[in-house]
Amino acid sequence: MLDRLRAITGAGNVLTGEDAARYGRDWTGAYSWSPLAVVRPGSTAEVAAVMATAHEARVPVVPVAGNTGLVGGTKAPGALMLSLERMTRIRALKPEARIVVAEAGVVLARLHDAAAEQDLLFPLWFGARGSAMLGGALSTNAGGSNVLRYGSTRGLCLGLEVVLPDGRVLNLMQELHKDNSGYALKDLFIGAEGTLGIITAATMKLVPAPRAHATATLAAPSLAAALSVLNRLQEVTGGLVEAYEFMPGGYMDRLATIRPDLGQPFTPRHEVTILVELGATAPRDTEPRPDGSIPLVDLLEDTLASLMEDGHVLDAVVARTEAQRATMWARREAAAELALTHGPVVDTDVCVPLDRVQDFLTRMPVRLAALDPNATDLTVAHLGDGNLHYTVFPSQDGAELMDAIRAAIEDVVAELNGSFSAEHGIGLSKLSSMRRRKDPLALEMMRAIKAAFDPLNLMNPGKILPDATEETRA
Ligand SMILES: Cc1cc2nc3c(=O)[nH]c(=O)nc-3n(C[C@H](O)[C@H](O)[C@H](O)COP(=O)(O)OP(=O)(O)OC[C@H]3O[C@@H](n4cnc5c(N)ncnc54)[C@H](O)[C@@H]3O)c2cc1C
């Protein structure tokens, strides 16, 4: 099979041994493995030929894009890893239609730059944008900090090109905003984490690039007050809030220890710290006045001042320079470093209704203390979406304890009508949650879909869907 792959992609693009070993680890370091080989096709035709070859040889295939996924989705012991890193063409960027057609290996930051050259914005924005690729973002239905304003990856995608497990190319590459011609096949591949096929290209929406941003860090007396602030800002700005990120006191403490270079916005620190960013395109909001001030920034400042008067805001700092804005974002984007690179962790990515976030944070310490009194936790949240990245650092390493903690988090989430998985996907790390919490009928339907696309179970096997036999035993 490897010789056939070499004939398809060129010998230099089939890596084995030491050359393949660097692909055998995920971003978090929690998963490592030895792949059979890594193949790097350079076109859709090559992906199709590679898939047909692997299919014939009955070899499992695991796609990898930027490898920044946080749930073990690229683990591929003994499997053929198919890297999208050579699929880097932006096939078209159409400013009038506000779309970009790009291959799966295009890094998100490059899409940002290409859109910016046309005064447009590719609005999918998160900390890993310098490495994560379009194919990976689609396959995880990534979210990030702008979902509040622009929606998640699924909402931004108009068309897809997919290579099926047997090598056939499914062309769903349209540029339409409306299409009711049967089942929404495109949406099945978005968030499928490579279990149904290989996404090779996509048509994505662009939006007008904001001509001005107004960014602030604020402290609120409570999460309820912080929600009122969000609602007031949406009202007075006509829905210009692009990001509304919550960093609790415990997060700021850990930031002070691990990244003292980033400083602290307030001394003493508060329990509810929010990073808010507005983005505007209209000249009335963005054109500098003769004194150099920007109307949008003044609007934010004035609104926060009046919110301080009525007690919804305790303190606030508005960024006056790009450097100040960058520091505010760096504090928020240090989250993965704070949460995931230090010792054993149970990292979760849950979603609850916006007005139940405080309930989650009140209930969790009680559950946690009952399981592991010496455990500590860390929260950071896309508050505007009710999406919390809640991480527990257990006092001891042990699969049983970690799973009990995960189950307790799921309990609280279920009590609040939330979801145990908001934006990172399932991969391997949330298989037990799927087994415990997903409606059995929903799992049955998902397995039927998987079997329809991938009857031989060769596409990223073992991810998303827990083993049905284990479920029966449980
Ligand atoms: C610092 C940091 C911050 C992050 N912040 C966020 C955040 O705010 N929001 C968020 O949603 N995520 C976030 N993530 C998680 C991660 O960046 C996203 O899940 C991202 O979308 C993964 O893209 P990738 O290219 O790295 O995919 P990979 O990690 O390579 O792959 C992810 C999954 O998709 C599959 N896959 C990859 N490419 C394809 C393809 N072409 N076709 C089919 N399947 C494929 C893989 O098999 C795997 O299961 C963050 C990660 C880090 C490290």
Side-chain angles (χ1 to χ4, degrees):
M1 184 191 75
L2 295 182
D3 282 342
R4 285 180 64 188
L5 296 182
R6 287 185 188 104
I8 295 165
T9 60
N13 291 309
V14 179
L15 312 179
T16 54
E18 284 291 296
D19 295 334
R22 71 185 169 91
Y23 291 79
R25 193 172 193 273
D26 78 327
W27 189 89
T28 65
Y31 297 95
S32 54
W33 60 91
S34 296
L36 170 72
V38 178
V39 61
R40 304 186 299 191
S43 66
T44 303
E46 286 187 11
V47 174
V50 165
M51 292 306 290
T53 305
H55 189 257
E56 217 179 294
R58 303 292 191 258
V59 169
V61 177
V62 177
V64 58
N67 201 25
T68 65
L70 300 175
V71 292
T74 52
K75 184 169 179 180
L80 177 65
M81 293 185 77
L82 189 152
S83 167
L84 279 307
E85 70 200 91
R86 290 181 59 232
M87 303 272 303
T88 55
R89 263 190 336 128
I90 294 182
R91 293 183 185 167
L93 196 153
K94 302 186 183 176
E96 285 306 309
R98 297 215 165 118
I99 56 161
V100 60
V101 183
E103 291 183 343
V106 177
V107 170
L108 300 185
R110 208 177 125 222
L111 283 179
H112 295 143
D113 292 345
E117 278 171 22
Q118 304 292 332
D119 259 344
L120 293 169
L121 172 73
F122 176 62
L124 190 59
W125 198 271
F126 50 83
R129 60 188 174 277
S131 309
M133 297 173 181
L134 181 58
L138 283 158
S139 299
T140 53
N141 186 26
S145 46
N146 285 349
V147 170
L148 175 64
R149 176 99 179 258
Y150 302 109
S152 55
T153 310
R154 176 174 280 118
L156 296 170
C157 179
L158 296 179
L160 271 194
E161 182 183 85
V162 181
V163 177
L164 296 179
D166 60 7
R168 286 177 295 168
V169 180
L170 180 59
N171 186 350
L172 307 168
M173 261 322 238
Q174 53 192 13
E175 301 175 2
L176 305 176
H177 290 261
K178 288 185 173 179
D179 175 23
N180 275 355
S181 58
Y183 299 142
L185 290 180
K186 162 173 74 67
D187 288 338
L188 283 179
F189 293 97
I190 300 173
E193 301 178 46
T195 59
L196 301 180
I198 309 275
I199 295 173
T200 46
T203 305
M204 305 299 294
K205 289 185 207 168
L206 301 173
V207 299
R211 287 168 204 274
H213 285 106
T215 311
T217 303
L218 64 94
S222 65
L223 275 177
L227 264 193
S228 302
V229 172
L230 171 61
N231 292 335
R232 181 89 71 88
L233 285 169
Q234 291 289 40
E235 280 158 28
V236 300
T237 64
L240 297 183
V241 180
E242 295 207 334
Y244 203 72
E245 303 287 304
F246 167 44
M247 294 169 283
Y251 180 94
M252 300 313 288
D253 291 343
R254 201 168 166 90
L255 184 76
T257 310
I258 295 177
R259 292 297 307 271
D261 54 307
L262 295 176
Q264 290 278 316
F266 308 113
T267 317
R269 63 106 168 121
H270 294 272
E271 278 309 321
V272 178
T273 300
I274 302 280
L275 167 64
V276 58
E277 183 156 282
L278 314 178
T281 56
R284 65 167 184 269
D285 295 321
T286 61
E287 268 177 18
R289 299 199 184 92
D291 65 358
S293 65
I294 309 282
L296 186 72
V297 179
D298 291 348
L299 178 61
L300 177 61
E301 199 164 61
D302 293 348
T303 310
L304 292 178
S306 83
L307 285 160
M308 269 171 100
E309 271 166 33
D310 62 23
H312 284 93
V313 170
L314 298 174
D315 205 346
V317 192
V318 176
R320 287 282 161 200
T321 63
E322 267 307 307
Q324 287 169 354
R325 179 184 175 216
T327 302
M328 288 183 184
W329 273 106
R331 290 183 188 125
R332 169 62 185 86
E333 291 188 340
E337 186 185 340
L338 265 52
L340 300 178
T341 51
H342 303 269
V345 296
V346 179
D347 73 302
T348 66
D349 151 46
V350 305
C351 195
V352 296
L354 297 194
D355 55 354
R356 309 304 301 273
V357 172
Q358 183 58 60
D359 290 333
F360 178 87
L361 295 176
T362 307
R363 290 179 197 195
M364 260 332 292
V366 182
R367 307 288 175 107
L368 194 54
L371 288 169
D372 182 0
N374 296 321
T376 53
D377 63 7
L378 182 81
T379 304
V380 64
H382 306 295
L383 186 62
D385 318 318
N387 174 191
L388 294 108
H389 297 305
Y390 178 71
T391 306
V392 175
F393 306 96
S395 61
Q396 318 141 35
D397 205 351
E400 211 171 306
L401 175 62
M402 310 258 265
D403 202 46
I405 292 172
R406 196 172 280 283
I409 297 169
E410 292 162 19
D411 279 340
V412 174
V413 166
E415 287 164 19
L416 301 172
N417 293 325
S419 167
F420 60 82
S421 180
E423 63 176 8
H424 293 164
I426 304 299
L428 290 174
S429 70
K430 293 183 206 152
L431 281 179
S432 55
S433 308
M434 280 296 263
R435 186 179 301 119
R436 280 191 289 257
R437 306 291 167 175
K438 198 75 192 174
D439 175 358
L441 184 56
L443 279 178
E444 191 183 320
M445 293 297 114
M446 287 187 196
R447 289 196 180 102
I449 291 167
K450 167 80 171 162
F453 283 102
D454 183 22
L456 299 179
N457 192 27
L458 295 175
M459 279 302 322
N460 211 356
K463 314 290 164 50
I464 294 191
L465 292 170
D467 187 340
T469 50
E470 276 179 42
E471 242 161 79
T472 320
R473 279 205 300 276

